[in-house]
């Protein structure tokens, strides 16, 4: 393990390199370079501009920006102005305009930013949203900083260094208050976990409004001072091979993505297309944000392993917004493994082997507790509770009520189910997204994993579990159903749910409500089902 220093959030401004920096994918096949020296100057110009606009200590600055030099300047510029940045998903993250406007209105109503910075493509949509909730209208970043001289020195950091919105898988997204100390210690813990140093470059396509892309990659890259190649999410979707070529050509050591990103690469990239590419440099592919499918890991290594990817570079991890981000993770080179919980446990019916997400990072502790709050022994399934450094200070406002996650004196009650074995955490899925069958719990994420293994594409099916009209019920919600999918769903759900009622909801492709990071919003969909919104699209899921 290397000696990785604990660095302040703005320390990089005083030692910003002219040689290293961020490379942004352009519309051709090239990259636009911004050195850390130039970014530091832009940060201080942004801080001066925000102060001139009346932004004061502790005010929230909304950032509705794609990954760009402007986003970096907006984030760190807000901090340098003594304000709190809050990244809000731009419109590109949503397929439907009305859905985006409802989502964005909730976020703006929650944080009520003193000032909002956006890019050209978002301006009109955000102007409409801010007018609707009565907050100051946005300004395009380029106009904000035009002709402004840099602030001489940064102001003291605000108490809250970040308002991070949760993904909203359990309902509306909740604003989480992250202190400067929590953000700094999480970044330091992550760098020490994977030995991230300035000479180890990274590549990312993750959106910067999501905590994995923001905290897990961008902020770490900037504070570390390494070269980093940045793609937009839609760049990755259009050309996943460009992402892999970048890793090979730049000798990247770090990257990360949810499980669905690996699955997408497997669908889109053929072995013949990898001829001449090498992945020996890659030492950390962090995989988080959703449950990890062991078959996807096997297949991904089978695809890239012949080109040098070390199996030990695949690092399943666990975290969340309320933990600032990272809680547990495998060490580089350790190699991932699967386990099943103890047979006798009352909540052990997981549906498939569970991938280990590593051990707690420094300063963090993970416990598994029962419904009564009693700590459970190794191998038994319960709720994951996290304590230690980098836990969020609390929620903005009341935080909403449609989530199983909570912050209290005992730490973070995650609302996630899992178990520990030999110090390693194994994550099953959300508590509340499950159904008791013969005294044991079946989890929706486990069933979705089995459906994906039977050929139903990621993000094209969501499983709902609950009690409907007094009967235990399992629902397969399809987004553009294809031949054979209903049969596969019936096979899986009938096997694991016993005599529960089984339903199918057939929506158009893209019709499944998802979070800004792509996870099914199961509780939202369940509520709509119970309200009769899907009556015309709902049929019994029966044996064909």
């Amino acid at each position: 393990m290397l000696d990785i220093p604990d660095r302040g959030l703005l320390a990089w401004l005083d030692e910003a390199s002219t040689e290293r920096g961020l490379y942004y994918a352009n519309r051709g096949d090239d990259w636009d370079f911004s050195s850390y020296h130039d970014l530091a100057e832009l940060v201080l110009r942004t801080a001066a501009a925000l102060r001139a606009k009346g932004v004061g200590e502790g005010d929230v600055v909304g950032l509705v920006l794609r990954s760009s030099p402007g986003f970096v300047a907006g984030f760190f510029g807000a901090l340098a102005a003594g304000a709190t940045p809050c990244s809000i998903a731009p419109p590109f993250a949503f397929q439907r305009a009305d859905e985006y406007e409802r989502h964005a209105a909730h976020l703006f109503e929650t944080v009520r930013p003193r000032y909002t910075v956006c890019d050209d493509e978002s301006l009109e949509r955000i102007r409409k949203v801010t007018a609707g909730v009565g907050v100051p209208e946005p300004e395009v970043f380029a106009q904000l900083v035009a002709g402004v001289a840099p602030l001489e020195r940064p102001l003291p950091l605000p108490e809250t260094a970040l308002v991070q919105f949760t993904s909203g898988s359990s309902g509306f997204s909740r604003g989480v208050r992250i202190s400067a100390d929590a953000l700094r210690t999480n970044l330091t813990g992550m760098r020490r976990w994977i030995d991230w140093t300035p000479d180890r470059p990274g590549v990312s396509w993750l959106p910067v409004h999501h905590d994995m892309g923001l905290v897990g990659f961008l902020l770490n890259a900037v504070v570390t001072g390494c070269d980093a190649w940045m793609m937009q999410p839609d760049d990755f979707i259009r050309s996943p091979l460009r992402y892999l070529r970048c890793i090979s050509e730049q000798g990247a050591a770090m990257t990360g993505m949810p499980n669905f990103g690996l699955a997408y690469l497997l669908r889109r990239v053929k072995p013949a297309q990898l001829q001449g590419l090498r992945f020996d440099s890659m030492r950390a592919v962090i995989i988080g944000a959703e449950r990890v499918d062991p078959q996807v890991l096997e297949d991904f290594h089978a695809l890239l392993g012949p080109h040098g990817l070390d199996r030990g570079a695949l690092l399943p991890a666990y975290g969340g917004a309320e933990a600032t981000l990272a809680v547990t993770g495998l060490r580089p080179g350790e190699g991932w493994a699967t386990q099943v919980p103890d047979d006798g446990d009352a909540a052990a019916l997981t549906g498939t082997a569970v991938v280990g997400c590593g051990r707690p990072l420094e300063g963090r502790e993970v416990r598994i507790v029962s419904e009564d709050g009693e700590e459970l022994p190794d191998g038994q399934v319960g709720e994951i509770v996290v304590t230690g450094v980098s836990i969020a200070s609390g929620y903005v406002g009341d935080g909403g009520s449609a989530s199983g996650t909570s912050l209290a004196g005992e730490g973070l009650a995650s609302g996630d189910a899992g178990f520990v074995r030999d110090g390693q955490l194994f994550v099953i899925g959300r508590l509340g997204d499950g159904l008791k069958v013969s005294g044991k719990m079946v989890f929706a994420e486990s069933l979705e994993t089995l459906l994906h293994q039977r050929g139903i594409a990621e993000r094209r099916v969501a499983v709902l579990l609950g009690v409907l009209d007094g009967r235990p019920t399992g629902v397969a919600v399809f987004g553009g159903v294809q031949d054979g999918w209903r049969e596969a769903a019936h096979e899986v759900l009938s096997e694991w749910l016993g005599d529960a009622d089984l339903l199918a909801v057939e929506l158009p492709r893209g019709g499944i409500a998802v979070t800004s990071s792509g996870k099914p919003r199961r509780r939202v969909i369940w509520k709509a089902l119970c309200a009769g919104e899907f009556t015309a699209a709902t049929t019994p899921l029966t044996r064909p």
Side-chain angles (χ1 to χ4, degrees):
M1 184 179 297
L2 302 178
D3 182 19
I4 307 292
D6 185 6
R7 305 189 65 197
L9 299 176
L10 297 178
W12 67 276
L13 294 174
D14 296 326
E15 50 198 63
S17 169
T18 59
E19 303 298 323
R20 289 189 173 122
L22 304 181
Y23 294 78
Y24 288 92
N26 59 32
R27 287 300 182 184
D29 198 29
D30 206 351
W31 304 81
D32 299 321
F33 177 64
S34 292
S35 73
Y36 284 121
H37 179 271
D38 291 344
L39 287 169
E41 193 265 350
L42 191 58
V43 165
L44 294 176
R45 285 174 58 200
T46 304
L50 290 172
R51 296 294 292 184
K53 295 291 186 179
V55 173
E57 289 84 348
D59 285 340
V60 172
V61 175
L63 304 173
V64 193
L65 296 160
R66 283 181 176 266
S67 181
S68 61
F71 181 90
V72 175
F75 187 94
F76 287 101
L79 289 177
T84 299
C86 175
S87 183
I88 293 172
F92 83 86
F94 287 72
Q95 292 181 326
R96 293 171 45 187
D98 57 344
E99 182 183 354
Y100 176 75
E101 289 170 8
R102 285 195 302 272
H103 174 81
H106 167 70
L107 305 192
F108 276 97
E109 184 66 43
T110 298
V111 296
R112 303 199 68 81
R114 175 68 178 81
Y115 202 76
T116 299
V117 187
C118 67
D119 45 31
D120 286 311
E121 68 177 290
S122 302
L123 179 61
E124 291 308 314
R125 300 277 291 279
I126 301 305
R127 183 175 283 159
K128 179 180 177 181
V129 171
T130 55
V133 298
V135 300
E137 70 173 28
E139 184 169 9
V140 171
F141 175 78
Q143 296 173 352
L144 171 67
V145 299
V148 178
L151 198 67
E152 185 174 341
R153 64 179 60 86
L155 276 67
L157 288 170
E159 180 179 350
T160 298
L162 168 64
V163 173
Q164 175 66 55
F165 278 102
T166 65
S167 64
S169 58
S170 301
F172 271 127
S173 297
R174 304 203 284 176
V176 180
R177 292 187 286 107
I178 307 295
S179 71
D181 284 344
L183 184 55
R184 188 195 76 252
T185 57
N186 203 271
L187 294 176
T188 299
M190 290 192 68
R191 296 202 311 280
R192 289 175 176 170
W193 158 37
I194 58 176
D195 292 336
W196 200 343
T197 54
D199 60 340
R200 288 175 169 164
V203 178
S204 177
W205 56 267
L206 298 173
V208 291
H209 62 265
H210 188 270
D211 52 7
M212 192 175 186
L214 175 60
V215 180
F217 190 87
L218 175 64
L219 301 189
N220 259 315
V222 173
V223 171
T224 300
C226 70
D227 280 326
W229 279 260
M230 313 292 293
M231 295 177 69
Q232 305 295 344
D234 35 357
D235 291 335
F236 173 77
I237 296 300
R238 281 193 299 267
S239 182
L241 187 60
R242 183 181 185 185
Y243 163 78
L244 294 177
R245 286 204 318 268
C246 181
I247 292 174
S248 176
E249 293 166 1
Q250 306 304 333
M254 313 294 175
T255 193
M257 68 188 81
N259 183 87
F260 79 81
L262 299 181
Y264 186 74
L265 286 165
L266 289 170
R267 291 199 304 272
R268 290 289 307 276
V269 177
K270 306 304 178 187
Q273 296 175 288
L274 300 177
Q275 185 174 357
L277 301 187
R278 298 298 302 174
F279 304 101
D280 313 69
S281 63
M282 185 57 61
R283 67 187 315 272
V285 182
I286 300 172
I287 307 157
E290 61 186 14
R291 182 162 162 181
V292 181
D293 183 342
Q295 190 60 53
V296 168
L297 294 182
E298 292 284 5
D299 293 345
F300 189 74
H301 183 250
L303 178 67
L304 300 191
H307 300 269
L309 180 69
D310 183 1
R311 188 179 190 277
L314 299 177
L315 308 181
Y318 172 73
E322 288 91 346
T324 303
L325 183 62
V327 174
T328 70
L330 287 177
R331 288 281 302 165
E334 183 175 357
W336 56 272
T338 61
Q339 294 276 350
V340 293
D342 291 346
D343 291 339
D345 182 65
L349 196 57
T350 62
T352 185
V354 182
V355 174
C357 292
R359 294 160 187 82
L361 277 59
E362 63 178 13
R364 297 151 182 80
E365 180 182 353
V366 170
R367 297 182 297 120
I368 305 298
V369 302
S370 68
E371 293 179 355
D372 299 325
E374 298 295 324
E375 187 166 354
L376 296 171
D378 269 20
Q380 293 196 16
V381 175
E383 183 176 13
I384 300 168
V385 175
V386 183
T387 54
V389 300
S390 78
I391 300 300
S393 306
Y395 294 105
V396 179
D398 64 7
S401 58
S403 173
T405 308
S406 63
L407 292 161
E410 297 299 315
L412 168 62
S414 68
D416 291 326
F419 62 97
V420 170
R421 181 160 286 139
D422 298 327
Q424 185 169 183
L425 178 65
F426 295 80
V427 182
I428 295 172
R430 293 293 294 172
L431 288 167
D433 294 333
L435 188 66
K436 277 196 174 182
V437 178
S438 301
K440 297 181 179 181
M441 270 318 259
V442 180
F443 293 97
E445 287 183 82
S446 297
L447 301 184
E448 286 175 4
T449 297
L450 294 174
L451 293 177
H452 299 326
Q453 292 172 359
R454 283 162 171 77
I456 302 181
E458 297 265 355
R459 301 193 176 198
R460 297 289 297 278
V461 67
V463 174
L464 312 179
L465 301 175
V467 177
L468 186 64
D469 297 330
R471 288 278 302 159
T473 303
V475 186
V477 183
F478 299 103
V481 68
Q482 294 185 6
D483 290 345
W485 286 9
R486 286 180 64 102
E487 291 84 348
H490 180 271
E491 179 183 339
V492 170
L493 269 62
S494 62
E495 177 182 356
W496 289 101
L497 300 181
D499 63 354
D501 292 343
L502 303 181
L503 299 175
V505 176
E506 297 185 11
L507 303 177
R509 185 163 182 172
I512 297 176
V514 296
T515 70
S516 59
S517 60
K519 292 183 284 189
R521 301 181 69 191
R522 293 190 187 87
R523 298 188 191 187
V524 173
I525 304 170
W526 180 265
K527 184 178 179 181
L529 176 73
C530 294
E533 295 180 22
F534 301 141
T535 300
T538 303
T539 58
L541 183 62
T542 57
R543 185 182 303 277

